[in-house]
Amino acid sequence: MSHQPVVDTKMSEEMDKPLISHRPVDSDGSLAEVPSEAPKVGIMGSGDFARSLATRLVGSGFSVVVGSRNPKRTAGLFPSAAQVTFQEEALGSPEVIFVAMFREHYSSLCSLSDQLAGKILVDVSNPTEQEHLQHRESNAEYLASLFPTCSVVKAFNVISAWTLQAGPRDGNRQVPICSDQPEAKRTVSEMVHAMGFTPVDMGSLVSAREVEAMPLRLLPGWKVPALLALGLLVFFYAYNFIRDVLHPYLQEGKNKFYKLPVSVVNTTLPCVAYVLLSLVYLPGVLAAALQLRRGTKYRRFPDWLDHWLQHRKQIGLLSFFCAALHAVYSFCLPLRRSHRYDLVNLAVKQVLANKSHLWVEEEVWRMEIYVSLGVLALGTLSLLAVTSLPSIANSLNWREFSFVQSTLGFVALVLSTLHTLTYGWTRAFEESRYKFYLPPTFTLTLLVPCVIILAKGLFLLPCLSHRLSKIRRGWEKDGAVKFTLPMDHALAQKTSHV
Ligand SMILES: Cc1cc2nc3c(=O)[nH]c(=O)nc-3n(C[C@H](O)[C@H](O)[C@H](O)COP(=O)(O)OP(=O)(O)OC[C@H]3O[C@@H](n4cnc5c(N)ncnc54)[C@H](O)[C@@H]3O)c2cc1C
Ligand SMILES: NC(=O)C1=CN([C@@H]2O[C@H](COP(=O)(O)OP(=O)(O)OC[C@H]3O[C@@H](n4cnc5c(N)ncnc54)[C@H](OP(=O)(O)O)[C@@H]3O)[C@@H](O)[C@H]2O)C=CC1
Ligand code: HEM
Ligand SMILES: [Cu+2]
Ligand SMILES: [Fe+3]
């Protein structure tokens, strides 16, 4: 929505009047005279939402009249500047009427349809999940069907009563708006703006169903990645439990259960982080391989790959989260009592065995290097995480963004791989490291990243990179696409989401 004054002369009279929060400024800089009569807005219903809305509207310079079935009982709950009266009386002068009632009570307004004729009705309702599934038409479309002479606008349903009352200082400021009457939509948009929110035009009233579904979604796009991370956590924790705790207990009768809270977790978390990171960069490689094989970029990827590509951000951020936890756990390793007892016991054993100066040069170097590589990997990952914040992403052009995400992300994957390899060293080849024939955990995680690194290397070979960049500029192996376009189009529509 633009911040400029609206020039359209056909604008409703309501909006020609200045609002307090938007006082027009004269050319000499002083405030223009505020007219005595503020634009009048009606609210049907006296519930939580109606009260918050009235408070906010009054604060933004509107004059509010509330229509209630029982004004005596409810008047005390509203700001004194708001007029609370019977439903039919509230409908008289305002051009814009908010319907702050639940869907099942809309029809109770039908007796007032004569007074409502020609007015703008704002539907603020939120269906429950059940209602949303039960009704094929949105609440707003239902309201429009009850009052065909009114202009129905869907707005404010994504804003909670609490946010309305507290003002848009924190939380989401965006208010999606849709309506079949552009004029009515503009009037309400200006009101949204005057109340300190940002109107987002969602088009005609058929979008109302989508707008009503917005508050029902919980962290869209995170479900599959979160389940994936959880699955990996459970798998690796169980695997490490068997190797590090169960095996010593069953085979040697040793009690190593103290490892459950820190040690086992700190073997699990890095493996999850590392696998998730490789799963961020695997689909890009698969996509490139598919394009090379098909010889065109104009055929859609299979659904699963399309989905995977779209969820990389969430998978990547979960990977970063696990890696950060792994780093903190690693710093804590030497703080533990168990660690000190182990050290002292080792020292005592050495003294008894009359050994001195235990310093294995190779072990020292290995440790110095893998810790350093881990720190570098985490540092690179945190750059990716920072640039994924919308405010920072918006300040980068797409080349800068894709440099950080694609190139530095790959660098992070390589550093993590070197970190894991130097940590693992020769352990993968020592028989004593195999517990119940299970190889050390890190060996399980190395396969996919190594495939990715190899593939990326292959794609750099002149013949392949040349062909790939030709394909990405629209070149096609002859006959690659011609006959599949119409079907692809249907597919594109079917799968376009997120
Ligand atoms: C902590 C963290 C945060 C993340 N945050 C985000 C985020 O905010 N947003 C987001 O989208 N992703 C995010 N990701 C996911 C990931 O970083 C990006 O999806 C990244 O762009 C993937 O890079 P890619 O090279 O695998 O894939 P793409 O950049 O999609 O490329 C796919 C393949 O095509 C090649 N390629 C691409 N374009 C061209 C071209 N024009 N010419 C030739 N070859 C080309 C690439 O080399 C690659 O092989 C995040 C990841 C992590 C770990
Ligand atoms: N609460 C919130 O945070 C949000 C609410 N909404 C939407 O706002 C609308 C109102 O919600 P909310 O204020 O929380 O609900 P309430 O139950 O608190 O208020 C509903 C109001 O509807 C009025 N009403 C009119 N006719 C009837 C009737 N026949 N039976 C019962 N009540 C009637 C009542 O006012 P009276 O008795 O004065 O006539 C009542 O106060 C809902 O559609 C909701 O989805 C949307 C976003 C957030
Ligand atoms: C500040 C950053 C980091 C530090 C200090 C660090 C430190 C460590 C330490 C001390 C270990 C050995 C754990 C043990 O003894 O059980 C380890 C293992 C490991 N780390 Fe890191 N690391 C860091 C970052 C990362 C990152 C970013 C990744 C990958 C995303 C990663 C992946 C791994 C893996 C896979 C292992 C092997 C786990 C196992 O099988 O035991 N680390 N790291
Ligand atoms: Cu999806
Ligand atoms: Fe219903």
Side-chain angles (χ1 to χ4, degrees):
M1 223 28 227
S2 79
H3 291 231
Q4 277 106 44
V6 182
V7 270
D8 194 329
T9 46
K10 271 165 50 189
M11 266 290 303
S12 72
E13 271 183 31
E14 210 77 333
M15 296 320 298
D16 292 343
K17 296 170 192 156
L19 312 167
I20 284 184
S21 57
H22 271 203
R23 289 188 196 184
V25 177
D26 276 349
S27 47
D28 62 354
S30 67
L31 285 177
E33 192 190 324
V34 177
S36 52
E37 205 187 332
K40 210 162 200 177
V41 183
I43 301 177
M44 289 288 118
S46 62
D48 299 329
F49 196 77
R51 279 201 297 278
S52 302
L53 187 64
T55 310
R56 189 85 221 129
L57 282 168
V58 166
S60 306
F62 293 89
S63 133
V64 176
V65 47
V66 178
S68 169
R69 292 165 305 162
N70 192 344
K72 276 223 179 72
R73 197 191 56 193
T74 49
L77 302 169
F78 281 84
S80 53
Q83 182 193 346
V84 184
T85 169
F86 287 102
Q87 288 183 335
E88 50 273 33
E89 279 162 33
L91 294 179
S93 45
E95 195 213 351
V96 179
I97 313 249
F98 285 86
V99 183
M101 296 163 31
F102 287 100
R103 178 191 178 115
E104 57 263 38
H105 305 135
Y106 286 179
S107 52
S108 70
L109 294 177
C110 283
S111 57
L112 304 167
S113 57
D114 285 345
Q115 283 110 299
L116 283 170
K119 307 223 176 222
I120 298 175
L121 295 184
V122 185
D123 182 309
V124 300
S125 65
N126 268 329
T128 59
E129 200 136 356
Q130 218 178 1
E131 277 179 327
H132 186 68
L133 294 175
Q134 183 187 341
H135 303 286
R136 276 186 55 235
E137 77 191 330
S138 62
N139 291 356
E141 286 167 297
Y142 169 64
L143 187 67
S145 72
L146 289 179
F147 301 98
T149 57
C150 296
S151 308
V152 172
V153 179
K154 180 87 211 178
F156 284 108
N157 64 306
V158 300
I159 304 291
S160 73
W162 165 252
T163 310
L164 258 183
Q165 197 157 9
R169 276 187 300 267
D170 44 30
N172 191 358
R173 286 156 186 269
Q174 294 190 340
V175 174
I177 293 188
C178 62
S179 170
D180 285 340
Q181 285 83 15
E183 205 65 6
K185 182 157 68 179
R186 180 153 41 203
T187 306
V188 176
S189 290
E190 289 291 320
M191 288 183 71
V192 169
H193 206 229
M195 290 160 77
F197 294 94
T198 310
V200 178
D201 193 335
M202 298 290 291
S204 59
L205 208 60
V206 286
S207 312
R209 207 179 141 75
E210 191 190 328
V211 174
E212 286 174 10
M214 283 178 183
L216 294 177
R217 289 197 306 244
L218 180 69
L219 303 174
W222 282 90
K223 200 169 150 188
V224 176
L227 284 176
L228 176 69
L230 202 69
L232 286 170
L233 266 171
V234 169
F235 168 76
F236 279 115
Y237 194 87
Y239 190 87
N240 293 326
F241 170 76
I242 294 172
R243 272 180 48 88
D244 295 348
V245 179
L246 208 59
H247 184 269
Y249 185 70
L250 294 180
Q251 298 285 324
E252 302 154 50
K254 279 188 190 157
N255 179 348
K256 298 264 176 166
F257 284 90
Y258 78 92
K259 287 190 167 185
L260 289 180
V262 178
S263 254
V264 177
V265 173
N266 198 34
T267 320
T268 303
L269 280 173
C271 291
V272 174
Y274 188 43
V275 171
L276 286 176
L277 189 62
S278 61
L279 292 182
V280 170
Y281 292 93
L282 183 58
V285 167
L286 294 178
L290 212 56
Q291 288 182 337
L292 275 174
R293 231 194 80 177
R294 289 168 164 181
T296 175
K297 68 167 180 180
Y298 295 112
R299 268 172 62 194
R300 282 192 59 82
F301 295 132
D303 265 4
W304 56 267
L305 184 56
D306 199 49
H307 248 89
W308 194 351
L309 287 162
Q310 280 168 9
H311 291 294
R312 285 179 297 177
K313 173 176 179 169
Q314 288 84 352
I315 301 175
L317 286 171
L318 285 169
S319 162
F320 173 69
F321 178 68
C322 292
L325 285 181
H326 159 56
V328 177
Y329 270 106
S330 296
F331 294 140
C332 294
L333 291 180
L335 294 179
R336 297 169 310 154
R337 265 292 137 73
S338 56
H339 179 74
R340 280 185 228 165
Y341 290 147
D342 274 348
L343 279 183
V344 172
N345 285 338
L346 202 70
V348 170
K349 266 187 212 155
Q350 279 175 35
V351 171
L352 290 180
N354 226 347
K355 267 197 230 162
S356 66
H357 193 70
L358 201 79
W359 177 279
V360 184
E361 192 72 13
E362 183 188 293
E363 276 296 291
V364 169
W365 276 100
R366 180 181 73 84
M367 180 128 194
E368 305 289 310
I369 292 174
Y370 87 66
V371 169
S372 176
L373 286 167
V375 173
L376 290 175
L378 187 69
T380 317
L381 275 184
S382 51
L383 283 179
L384 269 76
V386 167
T387 49
S388 65
L389 295 172
S391 57
I392 303 213
N394 289 341
S395 70
L396 300 174
N397 67 35
W398 72 267
R399 285 201 64 177
E400 293 163 340
F401 185 77
S402 91
F403 170 74
V404 174
Q405 291 295 335
S406 195
T407 311
L408 288 189
F410 182 63
V411 168
L413 184 69
V414 173
L415 287 171
S416 307
T417 303
L418 294 175
H419 169 67
T420 310
L421 283 173
T422 41
Y423 165 75
W425 213 239
T426 54
R427 286 164 203 227
F429 311 108
E430 293 164 12
E431 220 190 307
S432 64
R433 300 280 176 186
Y434 285 69
K435 311 282 164 72
F436 293 135
Y437 302 105
L438 297 175
T441 321
F442 73 92
T443 54
L444 302 185
T445 62
L446 278 166
L447 181 69
V448 181
C450 288
V451 168
I452 294 172
I453 293 169
L454 268 177
K456 287 256 189 190
L458 272 180
F459 293 154
L460 285 179
L461 292 179
C463 57
L464 287 185
S465 76
H466 181 64
R467 191 179 155 95
L468 201 53
S469 60
K470 267 201 311 188
I471 289 171
R472 292 213 158 111
R473 284 167 180 225
W475 173 86
E476 288 176 60
K477 191 171 77 181
D478 16 82
V481 78
K482 313 252 154 33
F483 305 104
T484 52
L485 253 177
M487 196 199 80
D488 278 357
H489 185 65
L491 247 181
Q493 288 187 330
K494 201 188 82 194
T495 55
S496 73
H497 80 297
V498 180

